[in-house]
Amino acid sequence: MYNPTVARLTYRALLGRRRAAILFVLPALLILMAVAVRMINGVDDHIASEVLGGFALATMVPLIGVIAGTGAIGPEIDDGSIVYLLSKPVKRSAIIFTKLIVAIAVTMGFSAIPTFIAGWILNGNGQQIAIAYTVAALVASIAYSALFLLLGTVSRHAVVIGLVYALVWETLFGSLVSGARTLSVQQWALALAQRIGEGSTITSDVGLPLAVSLLVGVSVAATWYAGQKLRTLTLAGEE
């Protein structure tokens, strides 16, 4: 299912100069923010949770997911180079699975690691806050990568749609409208963080069993449907 050649080409596309520069901006901003907050306020568990939940998990992770997920396949479909890949004796499911693994790895690398560093700077992992949000970033990376890889497969406007989802639905509606939180990857990930963290600094509006079921279900369904759409795209090209 995992094709090293496809993976190498996808990594090269995602970590090119322009896209890599964009990927580094948000993690760097998070760490700078953490340093500034620590210098001004000292160790404060509540503020640490606010920074990691409000910026790292609610903004940075989905935005990096948009860049990695859509960038793993969207540009190839837009410029037509995907036809060359599809002409090779590689299973379509293997192409999608490989690109998903690469997107997940990139999203995790550029979101979970900075989240842990920022959490350690903010309060030295007091009440397991740094660990909790790092785990949340890891599991959210999987769901976001699958969702945005699917978007890159089905739409030429995947980046725009992904940004709308990340900035409007997750950040705005997810924080203001209680009903929307049940359908928020951020809240699903927070359910895991709440279980790991100590005290009451981390909360989620979704129960842990439901959150885990939704994370797994959405990730699997999005990956499967992306494979189906890629198969349809192949048939269309052959016709």
Side-chain angles (χ1 to χ4, degrees):
M1 289 295 290
Y2 182 83
N3 187 286
T5 301
V6 174
R8 184 174 65 254
L9 294 173
T10 306
Y11 274 118
R12 185 180 301 172
L14 286 178
L15 300 178
R17 288 185 179 180
R18 182 183 303 177
R19 193 168 277 111
I22 298 174
L23 287 170
F24 274 109
V25 169
L26 290 171
L29 182 59
L30 172 64
I31 292 174
L32 287 175
M33 185 185 302
V35 171
V37 170
R38 175 65 184 268
M39 292 177 63
I40 295 172
N41 295 288
V43 176
D44 189 310
D45 295 339
H46 179 72
I47 292 178
S49 184
E50 289 291 323
V51 172
L52 296 179
F55 181 77
L57 191 60
T59 303
M60 183 184 73
V61 181
L63 287 179
I64 291 176
V66 170
I67 297 170
T70 61
I73 196 169
E76 291 177 284
I77 293 177
D78 290 341
D79 62 21
S81 60
I82 191 69
V83 175
Y84 173 78
L85 181 59
L86 295 176
S87 67
K88 300 300 180 181
V90 181
K91 291 183 178 180
R92 307 313 177 236
S93 57
I95 294 174
I96 287 295
F97 182 77
T98 301
K99 287 182 174 294
L100 174 64
I101 294 300
V102 172
I104 289 173
V106 171
T107 306
M108 284 182 172
F110 282 91
S111 60
I113 294 174
T115 297
F116 178 76
I117 294 172
W120 196 269
I121 292 171
L122 286 165
N123 76 334
N125 196 38
Q127 298 193 53
Q128 295 293 308
I129 288 176
I131 295 292
Y133 277 105
T134 299
V135 171
L138 288 171
V139 297
S141 296
I142 298 173
Y144 283 130
S145 296
L147 282 171
F148 297 133
L149 179 67
L150 172 60
L151 273 179
T153 306
V154 301
S155 175
R156 291 181 177 274
H157 307 289
V159 174
V160 175
I161 298 173
L163 289 175
V164 169
Y165 175 84
L167 296 177
V168 178
W169 184 265
E170 290 279 12
T171 305
L172 183 59
F173 282 93
S175 60
L176 299 178
V177 183
S178 58
R181 296 170 189 167
T182 305
L183 300 176
S184 167
V185 175
Q186 175 193 349
Q187 291 297 322
W188 305 342
L190 277 173
L192 287 169
Q194 182 179 9
R195 176 59 64 89
I196 296 170
E198 300 172 357
S200 58
T201 55
I202 306 173
T203 60
S204 173
D205 292 328
V206 182
L208 184 59
L210 177 60
V212 172
S213 299
L214 289 171
L215 281 167
V216 174
V218 166
S219 301
V220 171
T223 304
W224 175 83
Y225 192 60
Q228 294 299 110
K229 295 301 293 184
L230 189 62
R231 193 170 291 115
T232 303
L233 179 67
T234 305
L235 293 175
E238 290 174 349
E239 292 173 356

